[in-house]
């Protein structure tokens, strides 16, 4: 009886391992297609999804008037940008403003400069309507963008997203406490 029970238990464990491996699709776990967008960056230059096709890239949502999560998220992204450069990896970073009415290119450039952003690989985007960024965030990143009631602050995701070279979101990470090593390894695995 004990041999039968042990064999049954080992078979069950093996089946669970096999099923969990089949269910783990690795980098393609999210599989969210980024929708087309048209924007301008901190230099006033046009940027669209087509400009990023063929590149693995990171993205976040921020706004310059943010008094809570955006400064630490942007500082963390700046640290991640430095780590990427230290590894010899050139990876585009895109930060979408969720307050495009106030965040013109000049405001975004000043904001990026506060965090020593390297604009050669990090673009801060605006030039669309608030409704457009709400829809884009929801459709492409499954994330809410909404003004807080009786406030000039905007609620938005605090995640960083990794997008593959086909324009598909494959991973998201905590932008407040990023797992830097995991992000670097995930980027390397997609290149």
């Amino acid at each position: 009886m004990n041999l039968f029970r042990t064999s049954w238990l080992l078979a069950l464990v093996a089946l669970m391992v096999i099923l969990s491996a089949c269910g783990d699709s690795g980098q393609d776990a999210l599989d969210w297609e980024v929708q087309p967008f048209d924007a301008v960056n901190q230099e006033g230059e046009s940027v669209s999804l087509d400009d990023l096709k063929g590149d693995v890239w990171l993205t976040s949502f921020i706004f310059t008037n943010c008094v809570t999560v955006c400064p630490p998220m942007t500082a963390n992204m700046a640290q991640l940008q430095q780590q990427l450069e230290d590894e010899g990896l050139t990876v585009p970073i895109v930060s979408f403003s969720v307050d495009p009415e106030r965040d013109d290119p000049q405001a975004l450039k000043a904001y990026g400069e506060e965090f020593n952003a390297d604009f050669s690989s990090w673009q801060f985007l605006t030039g669309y309507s608030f409704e457009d960024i709400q829809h884009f965030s929801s459709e492409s990143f499954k994330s809410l963008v909404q003004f807080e009631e009786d406030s000039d602050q905007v609620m938005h995701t605090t995640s960083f997203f990794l997008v593959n070279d086909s324009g598909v979101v494959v991973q998201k990470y905590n932008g407040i406490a990023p797992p830097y090593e995991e992000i670097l390894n995930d980027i390397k695995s997609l290149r």
Side-chain angles (χ1 to χ4, degrees), residues 63 65-67 98-99 102 146-155:
F63 64 108
N65 192 44
C66 180
V67 296
V98 295
D99 191 5
R102 283 187 287 191
Q146 181 177 330
F147 271 100
E148 292 181 13
E149 193 171 323
D150 300 323
S151 172
D152 66 351
Q153 297 295 290
V154 182
M155 293 184 294

Coordinates of all heavy atoms in Angstrom, one line a residue, residues 63 65-67 98-99 102 146-155:
F63 N 3.7 61.9 -15.1 CA 3.4 63.3 -15.4 C 4.2 64.2 -14.5 O 4.6 63.9 -13.4 CB 1.9 63.6 -15.3 CG 1.2 63.5 -14.0 CD1 0.8 64.6 -13.3 CD2 1.0 62.2 -13.4 CE1 0.2 64.5 -12.0 CE2 0.4 62.1 -12.2 CZ 0.0 63.3 -11.5
N65 N 3.7 67.1 -13.0 CA 3.1 67.7 -11.8 C 2.8 66.7 -10.7 O 2.2 67.0 -9.6 CB 1.8 68.4 -12.2 CG 1.3 69.3 -11.2 OD1 2.0 70.1 -10.6 ND2 -0.1 69.3 -11.0
C66 N 3.2 65.5 -10.8 CA 2.9 64.4 -9.9 C 3.6 64.6 -8.6 O 4.8 65.0 -8.6 CB 3.4 63.1 -10.5 SG 3.1 61.6 -9.5
V67 N 2.9 64.5 -7.5 CA 3.5 64.7 -6.1 C 3.7 63.4 -5.4 O 4.1 63.4 -4.2 CB 2.6 65.7 -5.3 CG1 2.6 67.0 -6.0 CG2 1.2 65.2 -5.1
V98 N 0.7 61.3 -18.7 CA -0.8 61.1 -18.6 C -1.5 62.4 -18.3 O -2.7 62.4 -18.0 CB -1.1 60.1 -17.4 CG1 -0.6 58.7 -17.8 CG2 -0.5 60.5 -16.1
D99 N -0.7 63.5 -18.4 CA -1.3 64.9 -18.3 C -0.8 65.7 -19.4 O -0.1 66.7 -19.3 CB -0.8 65.5 -16.9 CG -1.6 66.7 -16.6 OD1 -2.5 67.1 -17.3 OD2 -1.2 67.4 -15.6
R102 N -0.9 69.7 -19.7 CA 0.1 70.6 -19.0 C 1.5 70.2 -19.4 O 2.4 71.0 -19.4 CB -0.1 70.4 -17.5 CG -1.2 71.3 -17.0 CD -1.3 71.2 -15.5 NE -1.7 69.9 -15.1 CZ -2.0 69.6 -13.8 NH1 -1.9 70.5 -12.9 NH2 -2.5 68.4 -13.5
Q146 N -6.9 58.2 -15.0 CA -8.1 59.0 -14.6 C -7.7 60.1 -13.6 O -6.8 59.9 -12.7 CB -9.1 58.0 -13.9 CG -10.3 58.7 -13.5 CD -11.3 57.6 -12.9 OE1 -11.3 56.4 -13.3 NE2 -12.1 58.0 -12.0
F147 N -8.3 61.3 -13.8 CA -8.0 62.3 -12.8 C -8.6 62.0 -11.5 O -9.7 61.4 -11.4 CB -8.6 63.7 -13.3 CG -7.6 64.5 -14.1 CD1 -7.7 64.5 -15.5 CD2 -6.6 65.2 -13.5 CE1 -6.9 65.2 -16.3 CE2 -5.7 65.9 -14.3 CZ -5.9 65.9 -15.7
E148 N -7.9 62.3 -10.4 CA -8.4 62.1 -9.1 C -9.5 63.1 -8.9 O -9.4 64.3 -9.3 CB -7.3 62.2 -8.0 CG -6.3 61.1 -8.0 CD -5.3 61.3 -7.0 OE1 -5.4 62.1 -6.0 OE2 -4.2 60.6 -7.1
E149 N -10.6 62.8 -8.2 CA -11.7 63.7 -7.9 C -11.2 64.9 -7.1 O -10.4 64.7 -6.1 CB -12.8 62.9 -7.1 CG -14.1 63.7 -7.1 CD -15.2 62.9 -6.5 OE1 -15.2 61.6 -6.8 OE2 -16.0 63.4 -5.8
D150 N -11.6 66.1 -7.5 CA -11.3 67.4 -6.9 C -9.7 67.5 -6.7 O -9.3 68.0 -5.7 CB -11.9 67.4 -5.5 CG -13.5 67.4 -5.6 OD1 -14.0 68.0 -6.6 OD2 -14.1 66.8 -4.7
S151 N -9.0 67.2 -7.8 CA -7.5 67.2 -7.7 C -7.0 67.5 -9.1 O -7.6 67.2 -10.1 CB -7.0 65.9 -7.1 OG -5.6 65.9 -7.2
D152 N -5.7 67.9 -9.1 CA -5.0 68.0 -10.4 C -4.1 66.9 -10.6 O -3.3 66.8 -11.5 CB -4.2 69.4 -10.5 CG -3.1 69.4 -9.5 OD1 -3.0 68.5 -8.6 OD2 -2.3 70.4 -9.6
Q153 N -4.2 65.9 -9.8 CA -3.4 64.7 -9.9 C -4.1 63.6 -10.7 O -5.3 63.5 -10.7 CB -3.1 64.1 -8.5 CG -2.3 65.1 -7.6 CD -0.9 65.3 -8.2 OE1 0.0 64.4 -8.2 NE2 -0.6 66.5 -8.7
V154 N -3.3 62.8 -11.4 CA -3.8 61.7 -12.3 C -3.4 60.4 -11.7 O -2.3 60.1 -11.4 CB -3.2 61.9 -13.7 CG1 -3.8 60.8 -14.6 CG2 -3.5 63.3 -14.2
M155 N -4.4 59.5 -11.6 CA -4.2 58.1 -11.2 C -3.7 57.4 -12.5 O -4.3 57.5 -13.5 CB -5.5 57.5 -10.7 CG -5.9 58.0 -9.4 SD -7.4 57.1 -8.7 CE -8.6 57.5 -9.9

